[in-house]
mmCIF file of all heavy atoms in Angstrom:
data_model
loop_
_atom_site.group_PDB
_atom_site.id
_atom_site.type_symbol
_atom_site.label_atom_id
_atom_site.label_comp_id
_atom_site.label_asym_id
_atom_site.label_seq_id
_atom_site.Cartn_x
_atom_site.Cartn_y
_atom_site.Cartn_z
ATOM 1 N N MET A 55 -8.814 34.992 33.177
ATOM 2 C CA MET A 55 -9.835 34.763 34.216
ATOM 3 C C MET A 55 -9.308 35.167 35.586
ATOM 4 O O MET A 55 -10.028 35.762 36.387
ATOM 5 C CB MET A 55 -10.260 33.290 34.226
ATOM 6 C CG MET A 55 -11.042 32.876 33.013
ATOM 7 S SD MET A 55 -12.647 33.672 32.929
ATOM 8 C CE MET A 55 -13.487 32.817 34.226
ATOM 9 N N ASP A 56 -8.037 34.853 35.859
ATOM 10 C CA ASP A 56 -7.431 35.252 37.132
ATOM 11 C C ASP A 56 -7.433 36.770 37.265
ATOM 12 O O ASP A 56 -7.732 37.310 38.332
ATOM 13 C CB ASP A 56 -5.986 34.734 37.238
ATOM 14 C CG ASP A 56 -5.906 33.234 37.461
ATOM 15 O OD1 ASP A 56 -6.966 32.618 37.706
ATOM 16 O OD2 ASP A 56 -4.790 32.695 37.381
ATOM 17 N N MET A 57 -7.103 37.453 36.172
ATOM 18 C CA MET A 57 -7.045 38.906 36.204
ATOM 19 C C MET A 57 -8.441 39.504 36.413
ATOM 20 O O MET A 57 -8.620 40.442 37.185
ATOM 21 C CB MET A 57 -6.435 39.446 34.898
ATOM 22 C CG MET A 57 -6.109 40.930 34.960
ATOM 23 S SD MET A 57 -5.160 41.485 33.544
ATOM 24 C CE MET A 57 -6.323 41.255 32.229
ATOM 25 N N VAL A 58 -9.441 38.948 35.756
ATOM 26 C CA VAL A 58 -10.805 39.466 35.870
ATOM 27 C C VAL A 58 -11.369 39.241 37.268
ATOM 28 O O VAL A 58 -11.985 40.121 37.851
ATOM 29 C CB VAL A 58 -11.720 38.809 34.797
ATOM 30 C CG1 VAL A 58 -13.184 39.110 35.067
ATOM 31 C CG2 VAL A 58 -11.332 39.292 33.418
ATOM 32 N N THR A 59 -11.128 38.049 37.815
ATOM 33 C CA THR A 59 -11.695 37.726 39.126
ATOM 34 C C THR A 59 -10.871 38.292 40.271
ATOM 35 O O THR A 59 -11.368 38.414 41.379
ATOM 36 C CB THR A 59 -11.810 36.200 39.314
ATOM 37 O OG1 THR A 59 -10.503 35.614 39.249
ATOM 38 C CG2 THR A 59 -12.734 35.595 38.272
ATOM 39 N N GLY A 60 -9.620 38.591 40.018
ATOM 40 C CA GLY A 60 -8.750 39.087 41.080
ATOM 41 C C GLY A 60 -8.149 37.975 41.928
ATOM 42 O O GLY A 60 -7.443 38.237 42.897
ATOM 43 N N LEU A 61 -8.426 36.722 41.577
ATOM 44 C CA LEU A 61 -7.868 35.579 42.300
ATOM 45 C C LEU A 61 -6.698 35.021 41.512
ATOM 46 O O LEU A 61 -6.795 34.801 40.311
ATOM 47 C CB LEU A 61 -8.930 34.487 42.471
ATOM 48 C CG LEU A 61 -10.202 34.889 43.217
ATOM 49 C CD1 LEU A 61 -11.210 33.771 43.144
ATOM 50 C CD2 LEU A 61 -9.876 35.237 44.649
ATOM 51 N N GLN A 62 -5.602 34.783 42.187
ATOM 52 C CA GLN A 62 -4.427 34.230 41.518
ATOM 53 C C GLN A 62 -4.403 32.718 41.704
ATOM 54 O O GLN A 62 -4.036 32.222 42.748
ATOM 55 C CB GLN A 62 -3.143 34.855 42.085
ATOM 56 C CG GLN A 62 -2.990 36.314 41.779
ATOM 57 C CD GLN A 62 -2.900 36.585 40.286
ATOM 58 O OE1 GLN A 62 -2.309 35.837 39.546
ATOM 59 N NE2 GLN A 62 -3.529 37.672 39.849
ATOM 60 N N MET A 63 -4.839 31.988 40.693
ATOM 61 C CA MET A 63 -4.860 30.524 40.707
ATOM 62 C C MET A 63 -3.853 30.036 39.671
ATOM 63 O O MET A 63 -4.226 29.600 38.596
ATOM 64 C CB MET A 63 -6.260 30.005 40.365
ATOM 65 C CG MET A 63 -7.366 30.558 41.231
ATOM 66 S SD MET A 63 -7.413 29.828 42.854
ATOM 67 C CE MET A 63 -8.041 28.233 42.456
ATOM 68 N N ASN A 64 -2.591 30.141 39.970
ATOM 69 C CA ASN A 64 -1.556 29.832 38.989
ATOM 70 C C ASN A 64 -1.368 28.344 38.734
ATOM 71 O O ASN A 64 -0.526 27.952 37.965
ATOM 72 C CB ASN A 64 -0.223 30.449 39.424
ATOM 73 C CG ASN A 64 -0.262 31.952 39.328
ATOM 74 O OD1 ASN A 64 -0.967 32.510 38.499
ATOM 75 N ND2 ASN A 64 0.479 32.628 40.191
ATOM 76 N N SER A 65 -2.148 27.495 39.405
ATOM 77 C CA SER A 65 -1.990 26.063 39.176
ATOM 78 C C SER A 65 -2.792 25.628 37.956
ATOM 79 O O SER A 65 -3.680 26.333 37.501
ATOM 80 C CB SER A 65 -2.468 25.294 40.411
ATOM 81 O OG SER A 65 -3.841 25.526 40.603
ATOM 82 N N GLY A 66 -2.489 24.444 37.452
ATOM 83 C CA GLY A 66 -3.231 23.888 36.343
ATOM 84 C C GLY A 66 -2.791 24.357 34.978
ATOM 85 O O GLY A 66 -3.439 24.063 33.984
ATOM 86 N N ARG A 67 -1.688 25.095 34.904
ATOM 87 C CA ARG A 67 -1.198 25.558 33.604
ATOM 88 C C ARG A 67 -0.372 24.446 32.954
ATOM 89 O O ARG A 67 0.353 23.718 33.614
ATOM 90 C CB ARG A 67 -0.330 26.809 33.741
ATOM 91 C CG ARG A 67 -0.955 28.004 34.443
ATOM 92 C CD ARG A 67 -2.273 28.423 33.823
ATOM 93 N NE ARG A 67 -2.708 29.737 34.242
ATOM 94 C CZ ARG A 67 -3.536 29.965 35.255
ATOM 95 N NH1 ARG A 67 -4.009 28.980 35.962
ATOM 96 N NH2 ARG A 67 -3.909 31.192 35.553
ATOM 97 N N ILE A 68 -0.490 24.347 31.657
ATOM 98 C CA ILE A 68 0.302 23.372 30.904
ATOM 99 C C ILE A 68 1.665 23.998 30.630
ATOM 100 O O ILE A 68 1.744 25.134 30.161
ATOM 101 C CB ILE A 68 -0.406 23.010 29.585
ATOM 102 C CG1 ILE A 68 -1.753 22.354 29.901
ATOM 103 C CG2 ILE A 68 0.460 22.093 28.735
ATOM 104 C CD1 ILE A 68 -2.628 22.141 28.693
ATOM 105 N N PRO A 69 2.763 23.276 30.912
ATOM 106 C CA PRO A 69 4.102 23.847 30.707
ATOM 107 C C PRO A 69 4.480 23.894 29.226
ATOM 108 O O PRO A 69 5.306 23.126 28.748
ATOM 109 C CB PRO A 69 5.006 22.898 31.499
ATOM 110 C CG PRO A 69 4.288 21.593 31.449
ATOM 111 C CD PRO A 69 2.819 21.927 31.466
ATOM 112 N N VAL A 70 3.856 24.826 28.508
ATOM 113 C CA VAL A 70 4.014 24.914 27.057
ATOM 114 C C VAL A 70 5.468 25.131 26.665
ATOM 115 O O VAL A 70 5.986 24.461 25.771
ATOM 116 C CB VAL A 70 3.120 26.044 26.479
ATOM 117 C CG1 VAL A 70 3.351 26.220 24.992
ATOM 118 C CG2 VAL A 70 1.660 25.759 26.764
ATOM 119 N N SER A 71 6.142 26.059 27.340
ATOM 120 C CA SER A 71 7.529 26.350 26.938
ATOM 121 C C SER A 71 8.439 25.154 27.176
ATOM 122 O O SER A 71 9.316 24.870 26.350
ATOM 123 C CB SER A 71 8.051 27.588 27.671
ATOM 124 O OG SER A 71 8.028 27.378 29.059
ATOM 125 N N ASP A 72 8.235 24.423 28.284
ATOM 126 C CA ASP A 72 9.057 23.238 28.546
ATOM 127 C C ASP A 72 8.805 22.156 27.498
ATOM 128 O O ASP A 72 9.740 21.521 27.005
ATOM 129 C CB ASP A 72 8.766 22.664 29.933
ATOM 130 C CG ASP A 72 9.269 23.565 31.049
ATOM 131 O OD1 ASP A 72 10.188 24.373 30.801
ATOM 132 O OD2 ASP A 72 8.742 23.459 32.175
ATOM 133 N N LEU A 73 7.524 21.941 27.163
ATOM 134 C CA LEU A 73 7.202 20.942 26.138
ATOM 135 C C LEU A 73 7.776 21.351 24.780
ATOM 136 O O LEU A 73 8.339 20.524 24.069
ATOM 137 C CB LEU A 73 5.685 20.776 26.024
ATOM 138 C CG LEU A 73 4.999 20.034 27.171
ATOM 139 C CD1 LEU A 73 3.489 20.165 27.057
ATOM 140 C CD2 LEU A 73 5.405 18.583 27.182
ATOM 141 N N ALA A 74 7.636 22.617 24.438
ATOM 142 C CA ALA A 74 8.155 23.087 23.146
ATOM 143 C C ALA A 74 9.676 22.966 23.094
ATOM 144 O O ALA A 74 10.234 22.545 22.073
ATOM 145 C CB ALA A 74 7.737 24.534 22.911
ATOM 146 N N ARG A 75 10.349 23.310 24.193
ATOM 147 C CA ARG A 75 11.807 23.202 24.239
ATOM 148 C C ARG A 75 12.244 21.745 24.084
ATOM 149 O O ARG A 75 13.180 21.438 23.349
ATOM 150 C CB ARG A 75 12.317 23.779 25.559
ATOM 151 C CG ARG A 75 13.642 24.428 25.467
ATOM 152 C CD ARG A 75 14.159 25.109 26.736
ATOM 153 N NE ARG A 75 13.375 25.034 27.931
ATOM 154 C CZ ARG A 75 12.516 25.978 28.358
ATOM 155 N NH1 ARG A 75 12.326 27.051 27.628
ATOM 156 N NH2 ARG A 75 11.850 25.841 29.475
ATOM 157 N N ALA A 76 11.545 20.851 24.763
ATOM 158 C CA ALA A 76 11.887 19.430 24.670
ATOM 159 C C ALA A 76 11.638 18.900 23.263
ATOM 160 O O ALA A 76 12.399 18.085 22.754
ATOM 161 C CB ALA A 76 11.092 18.628 25.686
ATOM 162 N N MET A 77 10.573 19.374 22.622
ATOM 163 C CA MET A 77 10.244 18.888 21.293
ATOM 164 C C MET A 77 11.091 19.540 20.199
ATOM 165 O O MET A 77 11.188 19.002 19.104
ATOM 166 C CB MET A 77 8.765 19.129 20.997
ATOM 167 C CG MET A 77 7.838 18.280 21.838
ATOM 168 S SD MET A 77 8.185 16.523 21.737
ATOM 169 C CE MET A 77 7.815 16.226 20.021
ATOM 170 N N ASN A 78 11.698 20.685 20.457
ATOM 171 C CA ASN A 78 12.517 21.354 19.450
ATOM 172 C C ASN A 78 13.919 20.800 19.364
ATOM 173 O O ASN A 78 14.681 21.190 18.497
ATOM 174 C CB ASN A 78 12.571 22.863 19.707
ATOM 175 C CG ASN A 78 11.353 23.551 19.167
ATOM 176 O OD1 ASN A 78 10.709 23.059 18.260
ATOM 177 N ND2 ASN A 78 11.031 24.687 19.742
ATOM 178 N N LYS A 79 14.248 19.901 20.278
ATOM 179 C CA LYS A 79 15.553 19.266 20.182
ATOM 180 C C LYS A 79 15.563 18.406 18.925
ATOM 181 O O LYS A 79 14.506 18.066 18.388
ATOM 182 C CB LYS A 79 15.804 18.412 21.424
ATOM 183 C CG LYS A 79 16.015 19.270 22.660
ATOM 184 C CD LYS A 79 16.416 18.436 23.819
ATOM 185 C CE LYS A 79 16.705 19.352 24.999
ATOM 186 N NZ LYS A 79 17.120 18.624 26.158
ATOM 187 N N PRO A 80 16.732 18.032 18.436
ATOM 188 C CA PRO A 80 16.775 17.195 17.231
ATOM 189 C C PRO A 80 15.892 15.959 17.395
ATOM 190 O O PRO A 80 15.715 15.456 18.491
ATOM 191 C CB PRO A 80 18.252 16.800 17.125
ATOM 192 C CG PRO A 80 18.978 17.862 17.872
ATOM 193 C CD PRO A 80 18.048 18.337 18.946
ATOM 194 N N THR A 81 15.360 15.464 16.293
ATOM 195 C CA THR A 81 14.407 14.373 16.359
ATOM 196 C C THR A 81 15.034 13.024 16.669
ATOM 197 O O THR A 81 14.323 12.033 16.716
ATOM 198 C CB THR A 81 13.630 14.265 15.037
ATOM 199 O OG1 THR A 81 14.563 14.123 13.983
ATOM 200 C CG2 THR A 81 12.771 15.480 14.814
ATOM 201 N N THR A 82 16.344 12.982 16.880
ATOM 202 C CA THR A 82 16.925 11.720 17.289
ATOM 203 C C THR A 82 16.459 11.416 18.706
ATOM 204 O O THR A 82 16.321 12.298 19.531
ATOM 205 C CB THR A 82 18.465 11.764 17.252
ATOM 206 O OG1 THR A 82 18.912 12.840 18.073
ATOM 207 C CG2 THR A 82 18.979 11.934 15.851
ATOM 208 N N ASN A 83 16.227 10.155 18.944
ATOM 209 C CA ASN A 83 15.710 9.735 20.234
ATOM 210 C C ASN A 83 16.875 9.261 21.093
ATOM 211 O O ASN A 83 17.485 8.243 20.796
ATOM 212 C CB ASN A 83 14.695 8.608 20.007
ATOM 213 C CG ASN A 83 14.005 8.212 21.262
ATOM 214 O OD1 ASN A 83 14.451 8.515 22.357
ATOM 215 N ND2 ASN A 83 12.909 7.518 21.106
#
Side-chain angles (χ1 to χ4, degrees):
M55 291 293 288
D56 288 351
M57 190 171 66
V58 169
T59 61
L61 301 173
Q62 293 298 322
M63 306 284 287
N64 291 330
S65 63
R67 304 306 195 266
I68 298 171
V70 176
S71 60
D72 290 337
L73 287 170
R75 213 176 2 264
M77 292 306 295
N78 278 336
K79 290 187 176 181
T81 56
T82 56
N83 186 343

